[in-house]
Amino acid sequence: MATYTPYQEKSPYLPFGENKNASWYGKDILSVKQFDRSDLEYIFGVAHEMAEMVRRIGTFDLLKGKILANLFYEPSTRTSASFTAAMERLGGSVIPINEVRYSSVAKGESLPDTVRTLEAYADVIVLRHPEVGAAALAAKYARKPIINAGDGVGEHPTQALLDLFTIQEELGRVDHITVTMLGDLKYGRTVHSLARLLSLYNVKLNYVSPDILRMPREIITEIQATGTPQFEYTSLEPVLAETDVLYVTRVQKERFEDPEQYESVKDAYVITPEIMQAAKKTMILMHPLPRVGEIAMEVDQDPRAAYFRQVEYGLYVRMALLAMVLGKA
């Protein structure tokens, strides 16, 4: 686990009062494409402060009086709970809308109308939706900040940010590492977003997947333009020994129209203690969760298994983002 610098009374990240001139005040967080390295350094600096504050006092009133609307059109446990915990740790309140089928949407209400209604009650909206581009559509009509919590097979920017923060904290660097992404790279929006963020650094990317779940060509082309070396494999064995970060994803049953196709690839890769023996002693094993069977439970005892620490890092990153878009960081 990372060590955090002592909290300073005069924080360079957490101002008193609402700073409407702050660079992130009122902004939407829709895609990792909107970040550069200086943005990431700032976000991670705020996240450090959040981690220290939680460690010292648990909850505080930075966002007291502010309300978050969690609008989830798809099932979610971790992301929804993480944003709820982040807002409540900061002293704010949450309107949870996790069962959209029971809401006015079931009556045929459009996404823009739903968003414009909710922003009358809330200061920021976190949206998960099954359609690519839904968050951008919501942001077009909303006056309050929209945070994309996943739009179909498109992007999951806050997950990518917490993933990158995890790598930084666990390894102490992001430059000069080899990251291997394993599993469902076609439908896995987490790897799409993370690959884009990693292309801002000096890294090597390996993609390991079945042929039918390869990284989308448009993402490979996009990252190729940055000069980031990328390599595709169908087996983990050739690249495991050189890997610094092994990022495993589940094969997402809900994305398959053909059940037989899902059955043919669902157990393509399973990380076991035996496989971990061939990996670097300093490697970290990551997973966005939930896992289904792609990492054996026995691996949890390995100190290189970072996926539950990854969840905690995510809380601090989401606290940072909420504070930033609401003018408190």
Side-chain angles (χ1 to χ4, degrees):
M1 288 288 288
T3 56
Y4 297 99
T5 54
Y7 177 69
Q8 301 171 353
E9 289 301 320
K10 291 185 178 180
S11 167
Y13 297 107
L14 309 182
F16 290 102
E18 187 172 302
N19 183 4
K20 294 185 178 181
N21 295 318
S23 59
W24 287 93
Y25 175 75
K27 288 192 176 180
D28 305 304
I29 296 176
L30 305 178
S31 168
V32 295
K33 295 177 183 179
Q34 69 192 93
F35 303 113
D36 58 28
R37 283 188 63 154
S38 64
D39 293 326
L40 298 174
E41 289 172 10
Y42 186 78
I43 292 167
F44 297 162
V46 180
H48 272 295
E49 296 273 352
M50 295 301 180
E52 181 62 20
M53 291 290 281
V54 170
R55 186 188 68 79
R56 293 180 69 228
I57 58 177
T59 61
F60 44 107
D61 291 339
L62 194 68
L63 295 183
K64 185 177 182 180
K66 299 296 185 181
I67 297 175
L68 160 69
N70 253 354
L71 178 59
F72 281 71
Y73 286 73
E74 286 187 316
S76 170
T77 300
R78 273 148 295 275
T79 304
S80 176
S82 180
F83 271 109
T84 296
M87 194 64 176
E88 293 186 354
R89 290 276 189 186
L90 291 167
S93 303
V94 180
I95 302 172
I97 308 172
N98 291 319
E99 297 291 346
V100 172
R101 65 181 180 274
Y102 296 133
S103 74
S104 294
V105 174
K107 303 173 186 176
E109 184 174 59
S110 68
L111 176 61
D113 281 5
T114 299
V115 167
R116 284 183 289 193
T117 299
L118 284 176
E119 70 178 3
Y121 313 136
D123 301 285
V124 57
I125 297 172
V126 171
L127 173 67
R128 171 169 289 185
H129 198 281
E131 296 178 11
V132 175
L137 175 65
K140 180 180 177 181
Y141 289 92
R143 292 175 295 110
K144 306 284 180 65
I146 299 291
I147 299 179
N148 182 5
D151 59 341
V153 298
E155 282 206 60
H156 196 346
T158 68
Q159 179 71 46
L161 290 170
L162 76 88
D163 290 340
L164 195 67
F165 187 53
T166 300
I167 294 170
Q168 174 67 50
E169 297 305 289
E170 293 282 321
L171 297 182
R173 70 191 193 284
V174 180
D175 283 315
H176 309 297
I177 64 172
T178 296
V179 178
T180 298
M181 299 180 178
L182 173 76
D184 181 356
L185 307 185
K186 179 179 180 180
Y187 298 113
R189 58 192 169 199
T190 60
V191 291
H192 301 167
S193 292
L194 180 58
R196 287 180 170 122
L197 279 187
L198 286 168
S199 70
L200 296 172
Y201 295 82
N202 184 358
V203 301
K204 176 182 177 182
L205 297 176
N206 294 322
Y207 307 134
V208 181
S209 68
D211 282 332
I212 63 170
L213 295 177
R214 293 169 64 183
M215 184 69 85
R217 204 84 240 144
E218 61 269 22
I219 292 178
I220 290 178
T221 301
E222 180 184 327
I223 291 172
Q224 190 173 27
T226 70
T228 301
Q230 307 169 89
F231 302 91
E232 293 187 275
Y233 301 87
T234 55
S235 171
L236 177 61
E237 187 177 4
V239 296
L240 181 59
E242 71 172 9
T243 297
D244 297 295
V245 177
L246 179 57
Y247 192 99
V248 180
T249 65
R250 72 183 173 94
V251 177
Q252 302 178 69
K253 185 177 182 179
E254 65 271 23
R255 306 290 180 198
F256 283 80
E257 294 181 2
D258 183 354
E260 288 187 7
Q261 197 174 56
Y262 166 74
E263 291 295 328
S264 71
V265 295
K266 68 173 184 177
D267 296 320
Y269 310 102
V270 179
I271 304 302
T272 64
E274 291 72 30
I275 288 175
M276 292 295 286
Q277 286 181 2
K280 287 183 179 181
K281 298 300 182 185
T282 56
M283 187 193 80
I284 59 169
L285 177 63
M286 298 175 61
H287 193 300
L289 301 178
R291 66 173 163 185
V292 177
E294 55 277 358
I295 299 178
M297 297 284 283
E298 294 80 6
V299 176
D300 295 358
Q301 307 307 315
D302 192 312
R304 295 170 291 180
Y307 30 89
F308 291 114
R309 298 194 294 274
Q310 195 176 339
V311 173
E312 183 179 347
Y313 291 128
L315 172 66
Y316 307 136
V317 168
R318 287 173 174 138
M319 289 173 71
L321 296 174
L322 289 171
M324 288 166 61
V325 301
L326 292 172
K328 293 290 188 174

